[in-house]
């Protein structure tokens, strides 16, 4: 078993289509989708992001990072939220991704989440990170 | 794994995994629906397997259909009708089913009734864990029909030949048929015992994967994590049952320790020696949520919830020394009253020794030894050796550990005990 993050991304057309839909309808479709993954025992975490217009982008390029207001300017896609599922294969994570109630212009990127076992146990920074995760978890 | 719109997959192994992924998600609902449709669990299971075989042959060429659950269910129903036709059981009832099947054209329609499917899946769980079945049979059947594992996957998990698993499934279905086991949730008077049987089967699947019995760790951990998943599924099916959440909590907490329980050389690491920073915080959080849901039902803690509460104390403690041992002693006392066993007593002894000192623990261990209940097992000499060593009675401890090594059931246990012996 591995954890996979289903990363939801969408372009402006997808956002416009989403906003044109009745809110109740969107909430119900997402709710049903989340419930189906909870009932299947695979959903372990997930969060949706607030409007990108509220966000800020810190961009690295020149000597100092450049801070601009969101949305991302040049970028054609916005990162809107994620689900973390725990499945034995990436194919099963993909199968869950395919069932998301999303329309044209949306994408879900499926990525395996690194576990502590992916890193050398004797690295000082890996040990520190594990401690931070532990402290944050309490 | 390229996947053009409908999902044609170039790599046959990836295509197979894609079909298996759909199967894992849909198997229980498909078998439950077919059992309702045919009125015959064994037939339904056969039909579902035939539909899976058809999908494995067809989908790598055609791509995964838009509504794979409906495709599999419809395919199985057609097989059922063909079978009835061949055996000349094609009466008016079957003709009606056949016509319904032909008229159902909406490709996006759910292949089952959303209002009753959860009840049907729960019936399936109760059938798979029915007390007329042997433990091995229940485990194999539950993994196959509820978990959606294929027979080769189950065989690999238990290190047995595929034919052995097939035989267990065939026999299980024959036993259920011979006993006329109905497709129903148990009546009220049988319900607690039947639910306990279901919880036990899931617990056994977990311990099978959890025990460091033999090599291939990854596969074993996957089996245990499949049991965790099934316990979550069950908790959602019977959300009003505190022990379903209790079991889920216990398994989440225990699975959270997996990343820390094996040393880089593959040897087992005891709880006391585990690097707690490697514990899976997400699973610990899930365990706490599940235990809170059990408690919120306000019907008291059963054996699983109590074990979960003990595991929670360990999960929250930054170290062995900083563990709330007096609280763990109380939890073991409660557990010992509602589910008395010599193993619980030994665990209580260890907790008492941590809370009050090794002499108090040793008295409890000696009382267990005096009953002779665990004669032949390494656990009593192992616990005695531990406590004697802490009391500075090294020679007596050595004798106990030597006895424990002789009685150890497998290499991993032997290695741990030999390590303790060497450390004296």
């Amino acid at each position: 078993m591995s954890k996979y993050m289903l990363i939801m991304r969408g372009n402006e057309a997808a956002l416009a289509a989403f906003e044109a839909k009745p809110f109740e309808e969107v909430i119900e479709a997402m709710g049903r989708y989340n419930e189906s993954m909870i009932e299947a025992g695979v959903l372990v975490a997930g969060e949706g992001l607030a409007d990108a217009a509220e966000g800020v982008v810190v961009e690295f390029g020149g000597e100092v990072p450049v801070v601009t207001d969101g949305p991302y300017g040049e970028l054609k896609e916005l990162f809107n939220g994620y689900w973390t599922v725990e499945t034995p294969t990436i194919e099963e994570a993909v199968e869950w991704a395919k069932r998301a109630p999303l329309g044209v212009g949306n994408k879900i990127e499926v990525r395996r989440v690194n576990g502590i076992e992916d890193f050398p146990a004797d690295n000082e920074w890996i040990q520190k990170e594990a401690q931070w995760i532990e402290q944050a978890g309490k | 794994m390229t996947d053009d719109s409908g999902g044609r997959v170039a790599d046959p192994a990836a295509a197979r995994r894609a079909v298996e992924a759909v199967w894992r998600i849909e198997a229980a609902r498909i078998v439950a629906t077919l059992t309702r449709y045919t009125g015959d669990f064994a037939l339904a299971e056969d039909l579902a397997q035939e539909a899976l075989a058809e999908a494995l042959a067809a989908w790598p060429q055609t791509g995964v259909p838009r509504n794979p659950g409906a495709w599999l269910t419809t395919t199985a129903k057609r097989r059922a009708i063909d079978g009835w036709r061949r055996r000349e059981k094609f009466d008016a009832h079957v003709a009606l089913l056949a016509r319904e099947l032909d008229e159902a054209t909406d490709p996006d329609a759910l292949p089952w009734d959303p209002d009753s499917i959860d009840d049907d899946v729960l019936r399936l769980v109760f059938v798979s864990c029915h007390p007329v079945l042997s433990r091995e049979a229940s485990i194999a059947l539950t993994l196959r029909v509820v978990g959606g594992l294929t027979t080769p996957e189950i065989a690999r998990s238990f290190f047995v030949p595929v034919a052995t698993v097939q035989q267990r499934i065939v026999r299980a279905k024959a036993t259920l048929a011979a006993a006329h086991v109905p497709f129903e949730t148990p009546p009220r008077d049988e319900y607690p015992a039947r639910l306990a049987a279901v919880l036990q089967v899931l617990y056994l699947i977990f311990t099978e994967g959890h025990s460091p019995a033999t090599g291939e760790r990854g596969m074993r951990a996957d089996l245990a994590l499949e049991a965790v998943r099934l316990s979550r599924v069950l908790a959602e099916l019977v959300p009003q049952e505190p022990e379903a959440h209790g079991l889920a909590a216990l398994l989440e907490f225990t699975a959270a320790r997996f990343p820390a329980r094996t040393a880089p050389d593959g040897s087992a690491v005891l709880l006391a020696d585990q690097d707690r920073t490697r514990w899976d915080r997400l699973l610990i959080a899930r365990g706490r949520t599940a235990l809170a849901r059990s408690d919120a039902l306000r019907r008291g803690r059963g054996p699983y919830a109590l074990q979960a509460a003990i595991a929670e104390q360990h999960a929250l403690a930054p170290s062995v020394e900083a563990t709330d041992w007096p609280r763990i002693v109380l939890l073991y006392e409660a557990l010992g009253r509602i589910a008395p066993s010599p193993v619980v007593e030994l665990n209580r002894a260890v907790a008492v020794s941590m809370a009050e000192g090794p002499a108090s623990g040793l008295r409890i261990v000696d009382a267990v030894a005096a009953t002779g209940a665990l004669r032949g097992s390494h656990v009593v000499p192992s616990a005695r050796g531990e406590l004697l060593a802490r009391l500075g009675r090294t020679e007596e401890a050595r004798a106990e550990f030597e006895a424990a090594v002789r009685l150890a059931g497998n290499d991993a246990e032997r290695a741990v005990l030999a390590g303790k012996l060497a450390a004296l």
Side-chain angles (χ1 to χ4, degrees), chain B residues 21-380:
Chain B
V22 169
W23 185 252
R24 278 176 57 79
I25 296 171
E26 306 287 8
R29 281 180 291 193
I30 292 170
V31 177
T33 301
L34 293 170
T35 306
R36 179 177 272 260
Y37 184 80
T38 61
D40 180 341
F41 168 73
L43 173 62
E45 218 276 327
D46 287 342
L47 293 167
Q49 291 294 325
E50 286 174 28
L52 171 62
E54 244 176 83
L56 281 166
W59 294 0
Q61 268 75 50
T62 63
V64 175
R66 194 184 147 100
N67 188 343
W71 189 100
L72 288 160
T73 309
T74 306
T75 301
K77 283 182 175 178
R78 288 199 197 290
R79 291 273 184 143
I81 289 165
D82 291 347
W84 284 320
R85 199 175 261 145
R86 267 198 311 280
R87 283 174 293 146
E88 294 173 348
K89 285 189 175 176
F90 201 77
D91 58 13
H93 172 65
V94 176
L96 182 68
L97 291 178
R99 199 161 62 242
E100 276 174 12
L101 202 56
D102 286 335
E103 284 167 3
T105 48
D106 179 1
D108 288 332
L110 282 174
W112 38 72
D113 178 353
D115 291 330
S116 62
I117 186 63
D118 286 351
D119 294 340
D120 282 349
V121 170
L122 182 58
R123 289 185 180 101
L124 197 65
V125 172
F126 277 114
V127 167
S128 302
C129 301
H130 196 279
V132 296
L133 299 172
S134 70
R135 282 176 172 190
E136 288 77 18
S138 274
I139 287 170
L141 204 55
T142 301
L143 286 172
R144 184 150 102 165
V145 304
V146 186
L149 268 66
T150 61
T151 310
E153 283 174 324
I154 299 169
R156 278 201 302 278
S157 300
F158 287 89
F159 306 105
V160 297
V162 171
T164 305
V165 177
Q166 274 164 344
Q167 213 170 17
R168 282 179 194 168
I169 304 253
V170 168
R171 281 191 60 93
K173 289 192 286 190
T175 304
L176 290 168
H180 289 280
V181 168
F183 186 61
E184 63 172 29
T185 44
R188 189 177 287 272
D189 57 329
E190 290 175 28
Y191 199 94
R194 293 285 305 280
L195 182 68
V198 172
L199 296 170
Q200 198 196 14
V201 167
L202 299 189
Y203 184 76
L204 287 172
I205 294 171
F206 183 84
T207 51
E208 184 70 34
H210 175 49
S211 63
T214 29
E216 290 192 70
R217 278 176 290 128
M219 181 60 71
R220 307 293 285 177
D222 268 4
L223 184 64
L225 292 172
E226 172 65 12
V228 180
R229 184 182 77 86
L230 291 174
S231 74
R232 294 171 188 156
V233 170
L234 182 70
E236 296 303 328
L237 286 172
V238 290
Q240 76 288 4
E241 292 296 336
E243 278 290 82
H245 298 293
L247 177 71
L250 174 62
L251 301 193
E252 302 269 14
F253 283 130
T254 312
R257 295 182 202 150
F258 284 1
R261 70 183 174 147
T262 328
D265 67 357
S267 63
V269 183
L270 297 173
L271 176 63
D273 302 323
Q274 286 178 7
D275 175 359
R276 296 177 178 222
T277 61
R278 294 177 73 86
W279 288 356
D280 188 325
R281 296 286 138 187
L282 186 57
L283 294 188
I284 289 173
R286 293 187 58 88
R288 300 196 77 190
T289 305
L291 185 56
R293 284 178 80 184
S294 174
D295 288 342
L297 292 165
R298 299 187 159 277
R299 280 163 48 199
R301 285 175 171 173
Y304 290 113
L306 281 169
Q307 289 175 79
I310 292 164
E312 182 185 42
Q313 289 303 316
H314 290 302
L316 298 181
S319 66
V320 175
E321 296 72 33
T323 304
D324 188 348
W325 289 106
R327 179 155 192 86
I328 292 180
V329 169
L330 282 178
L331 291 165
Y332 270 122
E333 283 172 2
L335 181 61
R337 280 188 205 110
I338 58 170
S341 91
V343 173
V344 171
E345 270 304 276
L346 280 187
N347 284 318
R348 183 171 76 85
V350 173
V352 166
S353 80
M354 297 304 290
E356 299 169 18
S360 307
L362 188 59
R363 276 194 291 277
I364 302 171
V365 175
D366 286 345
V368 173
T371 66
L374 290 166
R375 195 173 297 135
S377 161
H378 69 280
V379 293
V380 171

